[in-house]
Amino acid sequence: MDKINFFYVDYQGKPMTSFEVTGLIPQLDLKLIVDIVTEPDYTQYAIQFLQDSENFFEQELETTNVATSDLGDGTVTIHIELPFNFTNLLSPTSRNFTAKLLKNGQSVAEAKTSIYFN
């Protein structure tokens, strides 16, 4: 029942997988966008985001500002947008992101995405 519908990096309202840049990027404002399908009582759940295998955000869903919609089949969709930025990023490089849905601290769903700077 628990799954991640989609997970991507958003730049100015568009999904992005690569940037054409040269040299140093002084600042780049992005969002991680994720849609989760889970049970209506999601009080035991948390969302975790990792960048290059390092945890950089984890929070219980009930305390996260999330948008939900009832799918009518005993599940809900939860939409989360997490703003973040890079500063002084030197291309070419890449960053790998993982979104994990945790239930009682255990991963029950996972999705990965990457962004390339070349």
Side-chain angles (χ1 to χ4, degrees), residues 42-106:
Y42 51 86
T43 55
Q44 300 172 351
Y45 290 84
I47 187 72
Q48 180 184 57
F49 291 108
L50 296 95
Q51 177 183 305
D52 296 329
S53 301
E54 302 241 350
N55 186 0
F56 78 96
F57 180 85
E58 185 174 329
Q59 191 166 358
E60 294 175 359
L61 288 182
E62 66 183 324
T63 61
T64 305
N65 185 15
V66 298
T68 62
S69 57
D70 189 336
L71 297 177
D73 62 358
T75 63
V76 295
T77 296
I78 301 170
H79 182 81
I80 300 170
E81 298 186 7
L82 178 67
F84 72 102
N85 64 46
F86 291 120
T87 55
N88 299 323
L89 187 66
L90 188 60
S91 68
T93 189
S94 66
R95 294 293 186 269
N96 302 300
F97 297 97
T98 305
K100 290 185 178 186
L101 179 62
L102 308 176
K103 183 175 183 180
N104 297 320
Q106 301 297 312

Side-chain angles (χ1 to χ4, degrees), residues 19-32:
F19 283 90
E20 294 297 325
V21 294
T22 304
L24 183 68
I25 304 167
Q27 180 164 337
L28 186 61
D29 296 316
L30 304 166
K31 288 181 190 173
L32 290 176

